[in-house]
Amino acid sequence: MLASWRQTIVVLLLGGWGLSAFAGGDAPIDTATIELNRKANEACYACHSAAGIAKPPKAGLDLSKLKDSRLEPPVFNPSDHGVMDCRECHSKTHYNDYPHAEAGKTSTVGCTECHAAKVLRLEPQFNASVHAKVKGVKEKFTCFTCHDPHINIVQKRLKDPAKIVAQDNHGCLECHNSSETFAKFAPEGEKTPGQKKARPDIDTIHDWLPNTRAHWKSVRCIECHTPEVAEAKMLSHEILNKEKAEKKCLTCHSANSTLKVRLYRHMVKDEQQKYGFTNSVILSNSYVIGATRHPLLDNILIGLAGLTLLGVLAHGAVRIIAAMGRKGKE
Ligand code: HEC
Ligand code: HEC
Ligand code: HEC
Ligand code: HEC
Ligand code: HEC
Ligand code: HEC
Ligand code: HEC
């Protein structure tokens, strides 16, 4: 009784979150429960996996649909949610039997119901994003659009920058590098009413950036397309438009690279814990050039410095000549 009163009060305090906030939480799960959950999930893999499709436990299953909903334990288990029972998100009751109850389709638990605190912090950023501003796009854009709850692994556990970049950029490139997927979300074109806006080519947009493909492999879209957050635990979810996005090379290619508090943040933190201070291991391993030496960037920078020097000299020369001219008149 007391507990339920307390819950009611908390629900009132949480206001809009409603009762569903108690569908689950994101507290760490103990080892014994994890084992039980993984055992329970085997019932789902009997159909929802490559092995299940190869040897269906029942005749007459829609195998083409199953092909699109495959999950494999080696991928799911190490993911952020790999410790959970599938039914914690997919309804406790509707998936125990096959055919699944129709109601299952609409009872998937949303991120907010377990991650209320994080969502509360990031929702205003999400709502300020480019994707939340375009009519026809914002209605279709949800947390699942970028986050695959079956696969994704949080940055602080992935650690390796190459893996973090691959995972996070996959979310963006899935649309911005595929006309087919882009068309599913794109608004109508201004000049082509009734027709979807064509996808601007991702490399052409960024043609001011040398070797874009190398950049897509070693740096995330969100590095340039989200605002600076000084001491935040996670990057902002506000995706910036082309006017506001970062264009300056030195933001990354310098000893004071922004990547230290973004992409390499967890490496820096580990280093600090291990050595008690942040030394230059990350930078001297040349994760980012400019912090160390690199011939091409050096040449660009020397070139820029050279031009500046020429400018100064020319300016000086003009002044000297002008002064001499004035002296001559006197
Ligand atoms: C039914 C509850 C539930 C739902 C719904 C849910 N999560 Fe989780 N999530 C968890 C639990 C539990 C963990 C922690 C597992 C562990 O490590 O013990 C977690 C972990 C995470 C982590 C790792 C966080 C960290 O700091 O370790 C991320 C990121 C995450 N979830 C994102 C999402 C997103 C995005 C969605 C929506 C697509 C979502 N979650 C939906 C329960 C949920
Ligand atoms: C006997 C095979 C079989 C088993 C076991 C099975 N599924 Fe399915 N599931 C399917 C098929 C086939 C579909 C494709 C849609 C359909 O035919 O209903 C599907 C669809 C789904 C969908 C998509 C939404 C929907 O309702 O169509 C979800 C989610 C799902 N299953 C979750 C689960 C979970 C969770 C488990 C384990 C608790 C599980 N399934 C066990 C065969 C199975
Ligand atoms: C943290 C929550 C969460 C967990 C745990 C989870 N799922 Fe899902 N799953 C989702 C969400 C959310 C969607 C819907 C994505 C969408 O609407 O685009 C989904 C979609 C699906 C689908 C539909 C096809 C697809 O891939 O989009 C199937 C099948 C499925 N899940 C099966 C499973 C099975 C089997 C497990 C356990 C091994 C599992 N899920 C664990 C959240 C979860
Ligand atoms: C446009 C793509 C996109 C959308 C939409 C999106 N996210 Fe994210 N999210 C990301 C990326 C990329 C990261 C990794 C950034 C980072 O390192 O902090 C991330 C990180 C996260 C994290 C992990 C932060 C941490 O380190 O603990 C959580 C939790 C999260 N998102 C929840 C959500 C929720 C909830 C929604 C829906 C309201 C959502 N996201 C919508 C792209 C997206
Ligand atoms: C599901 C598809 C999809 C995903 C995923 C996606 N986008 Fe988009 N994005 C769109 C669509 C559609 C538009 C609107 C296009 C328009 O109106 O020109 C858009 C617009 C944008 C714009 C605005 C362009 C401008 O006019 O200034 C930027 C920047 C952008 N996206 C970056 C990203 C980044 C970064 C990510 C990953 C974190 C991402 N997008 C993920 C579909 C997607
Ligand atoms: C080095 C920083 C940087 C990175 C990394 C980056 N962008 Fe951009 N992006 C920009 C800037 C700056 C602009 C504006 C360019 C202009 O106006 O000339 C832009 C423009 C865009 C646009 C606007 C297109 C239009 O309508 O003109 C989209 C969409 C976009 N970027 C998506 C992405 C995606 C997706 C990724 C990751 C694959 C990405 N960007 C990576 C800096 C970056
Ligand atoms: C958001 C951070 C970021 C920005 C902004 C950025 N870069 Fe990079 N750049 C990187 C990273 C990370 C790499 C890959 C690691 C490395 O080689 O040091 C890279 C690689 C390079 C390379 C080597 C590519 C190759 O062929 O291997 C060159 C050249 C380069 N950048 C030049 C530039 C120039 C010029 C600009 C400005 C127009 C710029 N970068 C803006 C992060 C950035």
Side-chain angles (χ1 to χ4, degrees), residues 40-48 56-58 60-63 65-66 69 85-87 90-91 94-106 108 150:
N41 292 350
E42 282 171 17
C44 314
Y45 296 127
C47 291
H48 290 281
K58 271 188 185 173
L61 294 175
D62 188 338
L63 293 182
K65 270 196 185 153
L66 267 184
S69 59
D85 185 323
C86 312
R87 294 166 301 175
H90 288 294
S91 139
H94 300 313
Y95 289 97
N96 293 331
D97 304 301
Y98 189 82
H100 302 319
E102 195 54 32
K105 290 196 176 98
T106 49
T108 315
H150 305 143

Side-chain angles (χ1 to χ4, degrees), residues 23-29 34 80-81 83-84 88-89 109-115 118 143-144 147-149 153-154 156-157:
D26 58 5
I29 297 173
I34 295 173
D80 286 335
H81 298 118
V83 293
M84 292 167 65
E88 280 174 62
C89 293
V109 178
C111 321
T112 313
E113 298 178 32
C114 300
H115 300 291
K118 273 185 181 155
C143 311
F144 318 140
H147 288 279
D148 190 329
I153 302 179
V154 76
K156 67 170 183 271
R157 283 209 290 128

